[in-house]
Amino acid sequence: MGVAGRGIGVVPARTRWAVWLRRGALVLIGLLVLAAIGLWVYAQRVLPQTDGAQTLAGLKAEVRIERDADGIPFIHAASRDDALFALGFVHAQDRLWQLETHRRIGSGRLAEAFGESAVEADRFLRALGVKRTAAAQWAHATPDARAAVLAYTAGINAYLSTSLRARPPEFVLLGLEPEPWTPEDTIAWATMMAWDLAGNWTAELLRMRLSLKMPVARINELLPPYPGDKPLATADYAALFRQWGVDPTLGQPAQRVAPVSGVEGTGSNNWVVHGSHSETGRPLLANDPHLKLSAPALWYLARIDAPGFKLAGATMPGLPLVVLGQNEHIAWGFTNTAPDVQDLYLERLKPGDAMQYQTPEGWAGFDAVEEVIKVRGRPDVPVLVRSTRHGPVISDAGGPTEGLTGPLKQATYVLAMRWTALDVDSSPIEAGLALDTATSVDGFIAASALNAAPMQSMVVADKAGHIGMVAAGRVPLRKPAHDLKGLVPAPGWDARYDWAGYLPAQLTPREVDPVRGWIATANHRVHGPDYPHFITSEWTPPYRQDRIEQLLAERPLHSLESLRAIQADELSLGMTALLPVIRQAKSAHPLAAQAHRELAGFDGRMSAGRAAPLIVWSWTRHLMKAVFADELGAELYDKQIATRSFREALGGVLARNDAHWCDDHSTSTVETCAQQVDAAFTRALDELQAAQGRDIAQWQWGRAHQARSEHRPFSRLRALAPAFELRTPVGGDTYTVNVSRVALKADATSGEFYLSEHGASFRALYDLADPSQSSFMQSTGQSGVVFSPWYRSFVLPWTQLKTVPVWGGDARHVLHLKPAPVPVP
């Protein structure tokens, strides 16, 4: 009885575990449901208010903001400054994290957000002194420019102070709070955009490093002049650098950590057709600037209607401007002229005194500033930034950080940079506003004289029927005795290498209403051989320009659709010259015969769905490495290949059958160019077979060549990259009108050698006869909030070269911004 009684009510262990498992599962499901609800609520709150009304201090009158189905705002305001207030407000609504990154880059404050890995980038930005320069430029700004910037700044800060319901996910995940925007942030970001479009300083450093390995004649073969030109006659700088005992590592740390600028093969296209060559009888204009692809896109599309300020086009978060677009009278578009506006100077240090450097008049003290870099999760990092009479000492970046420690004292030279964008009287906002409000081609060209940096090749058309082009920006004048021509760092202690002022603005290249009936620029040399002034010796090879001219000449009359077809063109003149060479390549590879059949019918059109572009680019990559890496060394070659393809140099080597370059000096045998061509073909087939299988019919260029819009910083985190980064297969290459630059990444661990990270960031087609037919597109979507349907809504239409109307569709959302009552004293 007792034993039996003890068994009554006892639950077996297996049953107890099942109960607990069920309870645990229910709790877990409940937590997941709560998390999902919380995430949904957060995702709704983080999206900006686009309907209804808000009352904001800082406005003079009510502003109406209409948004269409694509999220593009149309701002209706009673004054320009109220319109710019609203532009700042919508930039903050849709691109708050982008504004945060722009502010931190311009200020050199990345490490506060991203930790120790960003310290070196901050050191470079502090050494360059962009924020300090911005403060000086702001102090010199005109009253009109100040009013515009202050109105825009107030709009951003009004959103932060009264309308931000939830921080965007980047702030939440990184534990950051947005800070108020300042006018200096706007000026600094304008300077950083000039940095992105300048960048010949890296070519100067490359030539200096190469000169310690090879003679100048070989350097000119590796970095050849513009097609048809001879290399600039210079002093033997290889002998000079050896004579001076220049350290080959000088400047390398700065180059490693600096923001990328002046990337080879990128730039932009623009062209304008006179009414005599258009179906409408009025001008047509096309523009597609090629820049680093990012998520969200660099550009934010907007429309503005205010008295004397009615315009639409591509704005840029951080700037109170329509950078590219159309107003009531004109349309305009830019490409990068890429003048030589940066010179590096070797500054010789006084032995035993790191705070003195040599000038033509003797020793002088550096201008020095002590700054502190705050680092997330780490102690502060003190930095000393120095400047010379030429500009900031950029070689301090990447070096010691605690005052004047060992290596800084022992150095013989430092590198200082002279750059037009750092001039105190540079006025990017004043220039942009003048262009925005121009009413004719002549007026636009006159307004362009205000632009200092970056120098841009601007095409413009007006409703009266005129077309024009002007290369607008400051161009340094170098003295006749300057025998280094700005190609390499110059001795700072010799006055003959100092700039002698600037080319007068009215003497830069330009033309109006040419007889041929059109104007086009594509980063090529924008002046004829008889132009008497020096702009640069490093123009982009004219492959895109030549192709644009071919296509413009094919029709007597053009339409917007024919201009769209030109923007979509994927014939690569830069690769067609190599096709006869690869067609002769020999290989015992089992796929060689199939590959040759594919190449036999290939005309150079870099279609995403074809195998031939993939074969040609893989072969080119392997051949360039075989030809050049032994002379440059693996480290230098791998770092330079990311920004410079050496395609022109390779073409010259093959045309000359140059035994010096084709021989691999690291082996005991002597390799010929033909052998290198064959070996590269085999290596390419091995690579592509491993990546895309044994059936060449299934190979596709677009599988390897994807447009990658990078997200800062979550593209670097494997777990978050798929949610924030945007990718799409694309055709084209570095040399097609529809540019999609082949990155040729040297990082073999990723296997992604052919990504496109620079491309047509914005496309526009403008009709001066009927502006309602004008259209535009950017590369990702209007919103920078990953939960928004407008975060990635433009990716597919951008890939397909579709556009949306510049002047708008139906208003789907309407938000009224009302001025707050002014307090009665």
Side-chain angles (χ1 to χ4, degrees):
M1 180 71 178
V3 173
R6 287 196 300 269
I8 295 173
V10 174
V11 180
R14 182 177 299 176
T15 303
R16 291 198 303 271
W17 276 111
V19 170
W20 282 110
L21 283 174
R22 283 194 297 271
R23 290 175 179 172
L26 290 173
V27 170
L28 180 59
I29 290 171
L31 291 174
L32 290 174
V33 169
L34 289 174
I37 293 172
L39 182 62
W40 182 87
V41 170
Y42 167 73
Q44 300 306 304
R45 286 187 59 78
V46 77
L47 298 179
Q49 179 183 347
T50 56
D51 292 286
Q54 292 192 34
T55 300
L56 303 171
L59 283 173
K60 298 181 180 67
E62 183 174 325
V63 175
R64 175 185 173 95
I65 302 174
E66 302 172 353
R67 278 183 169 87
D68 63 13
D70 297 304
I72 302 172
F74 201 144
I75 297 168
H76 300 271
S79 68
R80 183 202 69 176
D81 288 355
D82 274 357
L84 293 177
F85 178 103
L87 182 64
F89 186 85
V90 296
H91 280 172
Q93 280 189 307
D94 289 328
R95 300 289 186 88
L96 188 59
W97 176 249
Q98 189 175 45
L99 285 168
E100 180 75 8
T101 59
H102 289 179
R103 182 175 62 80
R104 289 187 177 277
I105 291 169
S107 302
R109 293 179 56 194
L110 296 168
E112 291 181 22
F114 307 133
E116 195 171 16
S117 63
V119 169
E120 289 191 345
D122 278 353
R123 282 195 294 208
F124 180 85
L125 293 164
R126 300 294 184 94
L128 191 61
V130 172
K131 192 63 179 288
R132 295 190 302 276
T133 298
Q137 291 174 344
W138 174 242
H140 282 77
T142 64
D144 188 58
R146 293 178 70 87
V149 173
L150 288 171
Y152 176 79
T153 300
I156 295 174
N157 293 332
Y159 176 74
L160 290 176
S161 62
T162 64
S163 305
L164 179 63
R165 299 182 297 178
R167 291 171 297 158
E170 292 89 344
F171 289 94
V172 174
L173 292 170
L174 292 169
L176 298 173
E177 294 287 343
E179 296 180 11
W181 189 261
T182 70
E184 291 85 354
D185 292 328
T186 285
I187 308 299
W189 184 243
T191 303
M192 290 312 302
M193 284 310 304
W195 175 266
D196 187 66
L197 295 167
N200 63 304
W201 73 285
T202 57
E204 291 187 33
L205 278 183
L206 175 59
R207 284 191 177 89
M208 186 178 76
R209 291 188 68 184
L210 291 173
S211 71
L212 301 175
K213 293 173 174 283
M214 62 185 69
V216 172
R218 291 293 180 198
I219 297 173
N220 289 336
E221 292 173 353
L222 187 64
L223 304 173
Y226 195 71
D229 287 357
K230 294 180 179 180
L232 282 180
T234 66
D236 185 352
Y237 54 81
L240 289 175
F241 289 135
R242 292 189 181 99
Q243 173 189 328
W244 295 331
V246 173
D247 184 344
T249 66
L250 182 64
Q252 287 184 44
Q255 187 173 1
R256 185 184 70 249
V257 302
V260 174
S261 62
V263 176
E264 179 269 341
T266 66
S268 309
N269 306 314
N270 62 22
W271 58 92
V272 59
V273 176
H274 193 270
S276 60
H277 288 258
S278 79
E279 293 180 0
T280 67
R282 284 286 184 268
L284 303 171
L285 190 147
N287 185 208
D288 53 294
H290 311 147
L291 295 166
K292 179 78 164 62
L293 299 176
S294 62
L298 183 67
W299 303 106
Y300 181 90
L301 307 182
R303 306 161 181 129
I304 299 173
D305 183 9
F309 203 67
K310 183 174 182 178
L311 67 168
T315 72
M316 186 177 294
L319 303 181
L321 303 167
V322 172
V323 182
L324 306 164
Q326 183 173 28
N327 66 25
E328 294 180 279
H329 309 280
I330 65 170
W332 68 96
F334 295 171
T335 68
N336 193 19
T337 316
D340 188 350
V341 296
Q342 292 177 336
D343 274 357
L344 295 181
Y345 288 89
L346 280 173
E347 307 286 18
R348 181 182 284 148
L349 296 180
K350 186 176 183 179
D353 186 352
M355 295 306 294
Q356 297 273 316
Y357 70 100
Q358 188 177 6
T359 75
E361 290 77 34
W363 300 108
F366 288 98
D367 292 327
V369 178
E370 292 184 358
E371 297 194 6
V372 174
I373 297 174
K374 295 186 179 298
V375 186
R376 180 189 179 96
R378 292 286 188 272
D380 294 348
V381 176
V383 294
L384 181 75
V385 295
R386 298 177 292 176
S387 296
T388 74
R389 65 195 187 92
H390 294 116
V393 176
I394 62 167
S395 55
D396 280 354
T401 57
E402 286 85 24
L404 301 180
T405 56
L408 198 58
K409 286 185 176 180
Q410 296 168 9
T412 305
Y413 303 101
V414 295
L415 283 172
M417 176 184 286
R418 180 79 170 91
W419 178 31
T420 56
L422 297 180
D423 290 352
V424 170
D425 63 344
S426 179
S427 52
I429 305 305
E430 181 186 4
L433 292 171
L435 296 175
D436 278 357
T437 54
T439 59
S440 67
V441 166
D442 287 343
F444 183 90
I445 291 176
S448 75
L450 296 170
N451 184 59
M455 189 178 196
Q456 298 286 282
S457 298
M458 305 174 176
V459 297
V460 58
D462 62 29
K463 293 182 70 173
H466 300 291
I467 65 173
M469 186 282 293
V470 57
R474 286 182 177 168
V475 178
L477 293 174
R478 294 174 179 85
K479 300 173 182 178
H482 193 316
D483 55 7
L484 297 175
K485 311 297 185 185
L487 292 179
V488 292
W493 56 89
D494 191 333
R496 63 180 156 155
Y497 298 107
D498 293 346
W499 289 359
Y502 294 118
L503 181 68
Q506 66 271 21
L507 297 182
T508 61
R510 64 198 58 211
E511 61 180 334
V512 175
D513 293 335
V515 173
R516 65 178 174 275
W518 53 263
I519 305 170
T521 78
N523 317 115
H524 70 304
R525 184 171 60 192
V526 295
H527 60 70
D530 57 345
Y531 181 72
H533 308 291
F534 178 80
I535 304 294
T536 183
S537 61
E538 297 179 295
W539 305 99
T540 296
Y543 300 118
R544 285 181 284 115
Q545 178 70 15
D546 290 347
R547 182 59 177 160
I548 291 168
E549 292 183 8
Q550 289 176 6
L551 294 170
L552 286 173
E554 284 184 358
R555 298 168 60 105
L557 298 176
H558 280 277
S559 65
L560 287 179
E561 288 310 307
S562 70
L563 299 195
R564 188 191 307 275
I566 297 175
Q567 286 186 337
D569 188 75
E570 293 180 341
L571 180 64
S572 177
L573 297 183
M575 297 304 284
T576 53
L578 294 180
L579 293 182
V581 181
I582 190 175
R583 288 181 181 135
Q584 297 302 313
K586 299 177 178 62
S587 173
H589 195 284
L591 297 182
Q594 189 180 353
H596 275 302
R597 286 194 294 273
E598 178 69 25
L599 291 169
F602 181 53
D603 64 354
R605 296 180 192 275
M606 314 302 283
S607 302
R610 293 201 62 178
L614 181 61
I615 298 169
V616 173
W617 268 101
S618 177
W619 168 76
T620 302
R621 183 177 74 84
H622 287 288
L623 183 56
M624 285 195 299
K625 187 168 186 178
V627 170
F628 299 124
D630 57 320
E631 277 89 352
L632 272 66
E635 182 266 342
L636 179 56
Y637 179 83
D638 286 347
K639 289 185 177 180
Q640 289 298 323
I641 199 64
T643 58
R644 190 174 295 273
S645 73
F646 299 125
R647 159 64 189 83
E648 287 303 289
L650 180 64
V653 167
L654 297 176
R656 297 188 305 269
N657 194 24
D658 194 320
H660 169 83
W661 288 107
C662 285
D663 178 34
D664 184 347
H665 300 291
S666 65
T667 70
S668 57
T669 58
V670 177
E671 291 83 6
T672 67
C673 291
Q675 288 172 330
Q676 295 287 24
V677 165
D678 294 347
F681 188 51
T682 298
R683 286 193 290 271
L685 295 177
D686 283 339
E687 173 201 318
L688 300 180
Q689 178 179 314
Q692 298 204 15
R694 295 183 55 84
D695 185 0
I696 290 182
Q698 300 301 313
W699 291 1
Q700 291 188 354
W701 176 226
R703 285 174 60 189
H705 185 54
Q706 296 189 358
R708 174 181 180 260
S709 294
E710 179 188 12
H711 179 276
R712 290 189 180 116
F714 293 155
S715 280
R716 298 174 182 267
L717 301 177
R718 184 173 299 180
L720 294 175
F724 289 86
E725 182 176 286
L726 301 177
R727 294 189 179 213
T728 182
V730 289
D733 74 358
T734 305
Y735 312 109
T736 53
V737 177
N738 186 14
V739 163
S740 189
R741 183 181 182 273
V742 183
L744 289 180
K745 284 185 171 293
D747 179 12
T749 59
S750 70
E752 295 185 308
F753 298 110
Y754 310 104
L755 284 179
S756 172
E757 296 175 318
H758 291 76
S761 57
F762 169 73
R763 296 189 184 99
L765 298 165
Y766 303 108
D767 188 336
L768 275 296
D770 182 1
S772 70
Q773 299 303 307
S774 300
S775 62
F776 55 9
M777 177 60 62
Q778 46 99 326
S779 56
T780 61
Q782 285 291 96
S783 179
V785 179
V786 71
F787 298 112
S788 170
W790 296 326
Y791 183 77
R792 62 189 73 228
S793 57
F794 283 158
V795 173
L796 183 59
W798 174 82
T799 305
Q800 298 170 339
L801 279 94
K802 295 180 179 178
T803 51
V804 297
V806 166
W807 292 101
D810 295 334
R812 301 292 182 88
H813 305 272
V814 179
L815 178 66
H816 296 270
L817 303 183
K818 299 183 178 182
V822 178
V824 177

